[in-house]
C-alpha cells in the first residue's frame, strides 16, 4: 500500500498523560478523580517516571487509603522518599484533635497561618488534612481570607462531596468564581446532598448558565420542589422557606404519629413542631414536639395542637418574617399560600442568615461598598465600584468649599476662624450621625410610624438643644481662654447650637424622605447628612463672624 495514502489515526491520550496535564494545570480535583480510576501498579509506574518535583506534586494528591496500595509497587528508594514526605505532611499539633473541629474561635488565625505555610512549602496533602475536619463555614471563611492564587490552590484540595456546602457559605463573587473552577459533573454531584433551601440560595447566587446546569442535573420530585421554591422572590417568605414540613392530621392519635416518625430516617433540621393539615392540605395549627412526646398515646392531635401558630403568607417580605421570628422567639414557622394551604416552613437558621446579610449590606453600603465583593478581587473592578461614591463625595465637598469661599474676606482678616471651623462641622456630623442611625434602625424594625413622627422629632430636637447649649458653653469658654476673645467664643457657641439643631432635623428628615422615595436610607443617608452639617456649620460660623466681628 502506498504510504502517501495511509490514514494516520490520532493516538489516544492515556490516563497517565491526562494526569500529568491536569497536574501541570493545577486541576487537583481532576487529578484525584483520574487516580481513582487507575490500578495502584500503574500509578506506581507513573510516579517512578516523573522527576522529583512532579513526583512530589502527584503524591500530594494521593489519599491515605490509596497510598498503602501504591507503596508495595514502588522500588525501595522512591518508597522511602515518599514515606518521608508523608511524615512532613502530618497535621500540625494543636490544630486537629481527634474528630473535633480543628479550629476553635480563638485559633482561626493559627489555622490560616498553618494553611499558608503548607501552601508555601507545596504540602497540599497537609492542607487537605486540615480542611477535612473543618466545618464548611470555616473553610469558606478561610478561602475568603486568601489571595486568589492561594485560594484556588486550597479550593483544589476541598473534597468534591463537601464543595457544594462550602459554596453556600461564600460571598457571591467568590462563590461564582470557585464554582466555575469545578468540573461541571463534580459541581452537580457536590450539590445533590444540599438541603433544598441551601440549593435555592446557591443557584440564585451563581451565574444563570451554571444555575441552569444544576437545575438540569436535579431530577424527580426534588426538581419539582426546587422549581417551586425558585418561583418565589428571593426577599420573600417563599424565598426563605424549605419544602420539608412534616404533616399530620388533626383526627389521628399520638401513638399513630409517633409510629410514623419512627419510620423516618431523621427529622428535618430545626424541627420543633409538626404541621397539622386537613385532607386538602389546609393548614390548621402546629403540634409541638414537646407536647407530643409527653402526651398519652391515645390523645388526639386536635387536643394538643396550637392554633395560635399562624401561617406566614408566602409573599410576606423577608424583613417582616425576620421581625416576626424576633418578636415571637420562633424556631420554625409554617408558610401558606393565598388559599391557606401549607407550602413549606421557615427555620430560624435561615432567618438569622437573612438578618446577618442585611446587617452586612447596610454597613457596607454606608461606605458605598458591595458586601458580596471579593476583598482580594481585581484592582480595576474594586476601583470602578468605589469611583461613583468618591465622585458623589467630591460634589458634596465642593458644595461645602463654595460656602467657605463666600467668606474669603472674613477668613483673611481673622485666621482664628480657619482654625476653629472644623470643630463646628465635626460636632454637627457626630450629632447628626447619632440621630440618623437611630431613625434608620427604627425604620428597619418598623418602629417609626406616621403616628409617632411628631414625638420622635420633638425628642431629637430637644436632645440636640440640650447638648447644643451644653457644648456651646464648654467650647465657647475654651475658645475665650485660647484666643482671649469673648465675642469669638460666643460666635462658635452659637454656631454649634445652630448646627446641632440642623443635624437633628436632617437626621430625622433625610431617612424618612429617602424611605418614601424608595431609596435605602443606609445607602445615601450619611453622604447627604454630612453635606448638610458641613454646609450649615460653615455657613453659621462664618456668617455670624462676618456680622459680629467685621
Amino acid at each position: 500500500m502506498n504510504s502517501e495514502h495511509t490514514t494516520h489515526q490520532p493516538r489516544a491520550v492515556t490516563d497517565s498523560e491526562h494526569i500529568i496535564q491536569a497536574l501541570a494545570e493545577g486541576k487537583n480535583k481532576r487529578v484525584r478523580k483520574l487516580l481513582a480510576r487507575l490500578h495502584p501498579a500503574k500509578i506506581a509506574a507513573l510516579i517512578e517516571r516523573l522527576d522529583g518535583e512532579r513526583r512530589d506534586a502527584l503524591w500530594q494528591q494521593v489519599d491515605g487509603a490509596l497510598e498503602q496500595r501504591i507503596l508495595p509497587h514502588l522500588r525501595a528508594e522512591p518508597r522511602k522518599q515518599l514515606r518521608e514526605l508523608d511524615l512532613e505532611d502530618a497535621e500540625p499539633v494543636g490544630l486537629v484533635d481527634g474528630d473535633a473541629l480543628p479550629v476553635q474561635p480563638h485559633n482561626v488565625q493559627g489555622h490560616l497561618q498553618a494553611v499558608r505555610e503548607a501552601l508555601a512549602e507545596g504540602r497540599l496533602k497537609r492542607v487537605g488534612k486540615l480542611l477535612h475536619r473543618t466545618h464548611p463555614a470555616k473553610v469558606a471563611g478561610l478561602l475568603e481570607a486568601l489571595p486568589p492564587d492561594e485560594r484556588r490552590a486550597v479550593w483544589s484540595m476541598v473534597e468534591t462531596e463537601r464543595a457544594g456546602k462550602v459554596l453556600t457559605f461564600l460571598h457571591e463573587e467568590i462563590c461564582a468564581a470557585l464554582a466555575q473552577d469545578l468540573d461541571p459533573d463534580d459541581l452537580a454531584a457536590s450539590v445533590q446532598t444540599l438541603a433544598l433551601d441551601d440549593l435555592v440560595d446557591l443557584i440564585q447566587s451563581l451565574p444563570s448558565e451554571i444555575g441552569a446546569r444544576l437545575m438540569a442535573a436535579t431530577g424527580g420530585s426534588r426538581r419539582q420542589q426546587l422549581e417551586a421554591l425558585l418561583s418565589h422572590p428571593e426577599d420573600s417568605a417563599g424565598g426563605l422557606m424549605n419544602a420539608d414540613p412534616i404533616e399530620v392530621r388533626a383526627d389521628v392519635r399520638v401513638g399513630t404519629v409517633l409510629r410514623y416518625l419512627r419510620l423516618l430516617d431523621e427529622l428535618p433540621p430545626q424541627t420543633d413542631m409538626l404541621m397539622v393539615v386537613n385532607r386538602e392540605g389546609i393548614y390548621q395549627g402546629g403540634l409541638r414536639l414537646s407536647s407530643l412526646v409527653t402526651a398519652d398515646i391515645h390523645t388526639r392531635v386536635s387536643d394538643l395542637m396550637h392554633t395560635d401558630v399562624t401561617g406566614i403568607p408566602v409573599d410576606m417580605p423577608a424583613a417582616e418574617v425576620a421581625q416576626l421570628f424576633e418578636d415571637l422567639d420562633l424556631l420554625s414557622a409554617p408558610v401558606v399560600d393565598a388559599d391557606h394551604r401549607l407550602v413549606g416552613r421557615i427555620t430560624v437558621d435561615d432567618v438569622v442568615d437573612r438578618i446577618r446579610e442585611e446587617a452586612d449590606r447596610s454597613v457596607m453600603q454606608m461606605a458605598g461598598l458591595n458586601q458580596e465583593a471579593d476583598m482580594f478581587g481585581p484592582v480595576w473592578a474594586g476601583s470602578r465600584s468605589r469611583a461613583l461614591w468618591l465622585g458623589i463625595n467630591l460634589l458634596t465637598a465642593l458644595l461645602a468649599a463654595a460656602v467657605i469661599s463666600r467668606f474669603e474676606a472674613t477668613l483673611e482678616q481673622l485666621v482664628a476662624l480657619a482654625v476653629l471651623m472644623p470643630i463646628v462641622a465635626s460636632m454637627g456630623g457626630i450629632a447628626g450621625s447619632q440621630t440618623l442611625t437611630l431613625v434608620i434602625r427604627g425604620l428597619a424594625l418598623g418602629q417609626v410610624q406616621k403616628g409617632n413622627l411628631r414625638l420622635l422629632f420633638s425628642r431629637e430636637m430637644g436632645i440636640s438643644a440640650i447638648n447644643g447649649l451644653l457644648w456651646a458653653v464648654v467650647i465657647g469658654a475654651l475658645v475665650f481662654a485660647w484666643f482671649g476673645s469673648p465675642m469669638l467664643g460666643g460666635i462658635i457657641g452659637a454656631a454649634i447650637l445652630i448646627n446641632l439643631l440642623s443635624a437633628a432635623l436632617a437626621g430625622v428628615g433625610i431617612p424618612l424622605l429617602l424611605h418614601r422615595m424608595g431609596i435605602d436610607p443606609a445607602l445615601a443617608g450619611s453622604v447627604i447628612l454630612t453635606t448638610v452639617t458641613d454646609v450649615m456649620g460653615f455657613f453659621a460660623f462664618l456668617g455670624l463672624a462676618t456680622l459680629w466681628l467685621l
Side-chain angles (χ1 to χ4, degrees), residues 190-205:
S190 71
V191 302
Q192 294 310 309
T193 57
L194 293 179
L196 274 175
D197 57 338
D198 289 335
L199 181 53
V200 167
D201 292 339
L202 180 59
I203 289 176
Q204 290 172 334
S205 66

Side-chain angles (χ1 to χ4, degrees), residues 21-276:
Q21 182 180 354
L23 195 64
E25 295 173 354
K27 297 179 178 179
N28 295 329
K29 284 186 172 63
R30 178 164 173 75
V31 172
R32 294 196 293 274
K33 183 189 292 187
L34 291 169
L35 287 174
R37 290 168 17 188
L38 283 182
H39 190 278
K42 288 189 175 182
I43 299 176
L46 173 61
I47 289 173
E48 290 181 347
R49 290 207 317 267
L50 297 176
D51 55 36
E53 186 175 342
R54 289 194 298 171
R55 176 190 299 171
D56 290 353
L58 179 59
W59 190 247
Q60 295 293 323
Q61 304 307 318
V62 177
D63 62 35
L66 190 55
E67 283 178 10
Q68 302 308 314
R69 297 167 57 199
I70 295 173
L71 288 171
H73 296 281
L74 291 169
R75 296 196 307 270
E77 185 60 29
R79 185 190 309 137
K80 178 183 177 182
Q81 292 174 355
L82 294 179
R83 279 179 170 165
E84 291 175 353
L85 192 63
D86 285 338
L87 290 176
E88 295 176 5
D89 289 333
E91 292 161 302
V93 176
L95 288 178
V96 178
D97 182 15
D99 293 329
L101 292 180
V103 184
Q104 300 302 324
H106 62 275
N107 201 25
V108 173
Q109 291 299 323
H111 189 214
L112 179 61
Q113 182 179 353
V115 168
R116 298 197 70 178
E117 288 175 355
L119 286 176
E121 297 171 6
R123 306 303 184 195
L124 293 180
K125 189 177 292 188
R126 185 190 302 172
V127 174
K129 290 177 180 179
L130 288 169
L131 299 178
H132 176 68
R133 283 180 278 178
T134 303
H135 190 279
K138 294 185 181 294
V139 175
L142 188 148
L143 288 167
E144 291 180 346
L146 292 171
D149 290 342
E150 294 182 3
R151 180 185 299 152
R152 279 191 291 271
V154 172
W155 177 241
S156 72
M157 298 307 297
V158 176
E159 297 136 310
T160 299
E161 56 270 21
R162 303 182 72 219
K165 191 63 177 177
V166 173
L167 287 173
T168 64
F169 291 103
L170 291 167
H171 286 137
E172 287 186 8
E173 186 174 317
I174 300 175
C175 175
L178 295 183
Q180 289 172 335
D181 278 350
L182 279 178
D183 181 85
D185 292 336
D186 288 343
L187 177 60
S190 71
V191 302
Q192 294 310 309
T193 57
L194 293 179
L196 274 175
D197 57 338
D198 289 335
L199 181 53
V200 167
D201 292 339
L202 180 59
I203 289 176
Q204 290 172 334
S205 66
L206 292 174
S208 57
E209 64 275 8
I210 299 180
R213 286 204 301 267
L214 294 182
M215 286 286 294
T218 306
S221 60
R222 183 175 169 87
R223 168 72 175 269
Q224 296 176 351
Q225 291 177 318
L226 186 59
E227 289 175 344
L229 292 175
L230 286 169
S231 67
H232 301 292
E234 187 176 357
D235 59 347
S236 68
L240 288 175
M241 75 177 184
N242 204 344
D244 64 353
I246 299 179
E247 303 175 4
V248 296
R249 302 279 189 268
D251 57 349
V252 301
R253 299 183 186 276
V254 166
T256 304
V257 176
L258 291 174
R259 286 194 298 273
Y260 168 65
L261 293 180
R262 292 190 189 102
L263 294 175
L264 303 176
D265 292 333
E266 60 181 354
L267 296 181
Q270 309 294 338
T271 296
D272 66 317
M273 67 176 177
L274 312 181
M275 309 303 175
V276 183

Side-chain angles (χ1 to χ4, degrees), residues 313-439:
V314 71
D315 57 353
M316 177 183 281
E320 294 183 21
V321 174
Q323 187 63 49
L324 189 65
F325 267 71
E326 183 179 351
D327 293 342
L328 303 181
D329 292 329
L330 299 175
L331 290 178
S332 68
V335 181
V336 297
D337 63 13
D339 298 321
H340 214 64
R341 287 188 178 85
L342 181 69
V343 293
R345 71 184 184 116
I346 297 174
T347 55
V348 67
D349 57 326
D350 293 317
V351 174
V352 170
D353 288 343
R354 174 73 185 190
I355 294 172
R356 179 184 57 79
E357 289 170 3
E358 284 299 309
D360 288 347
R361 184 183 63 83
S362 296
V363 170
M364 297 292 279
Q365 284 191 342
M366 289 181 72
L369 300 174
N370 178 7
Q371 80 273 19
E372 300 295 344
D374 181 3
M375 182 185 298
F376 298 102
V379 173
W380 173 248
S383 61
R384 185 176 54 196
S385 65
R386 302 186 195 187
L388 176 62
W389 208 248
L390 291 171
I392 294 173
N393 184 72
L394 175 61
L395 292 177
T396 61
L398 289 173
L399 180 59
V403 172
I404 295 173
S405 69
R406 301 292 296 177
F407 299 96
E408 186 177 349
T410 304
L411 287 169
E412 288 177 350
Q413 296 185 45
L414 194 59
V415 178
L417 296 178
V419 176
L420 299 174
M421 269 196 317
I423 298 176
V424 181
S426 176
M427 292 292 288
I430 294 297
S433 296
Q434 292 171 339
T435 302
L436 182 76
T437 303
L438 184 71
V439 175

Side-chain angles (χ1 to χ4, degrees), residues 9-22 25 30 34 37-38 42 46 49:
Q9 297 294 333
R11 184 177 65 85
V13 181
T14 65
D15 283 340
S16 295
E17 290 172 327
H18 279 304
I19 289 173
I20 294 173
Q21 182 180 354
E25 295 173 354
R30 178 164 173 75
L34 291 169
R37 290 168 17 188
L38 283 182
K42 288 189 175 182
L46 173 61
R49 290 207 317 267

Side-chain angles (χ1 to χ4, degrees), residues 278-290:
N278 64 13
R279 294 186 180 278
E280 287 74 37
I282 303 298
Y283 174 73
Q284 294 181 312
L287 174 60
R288 301 190 187 281
L289 291 183
S290 57

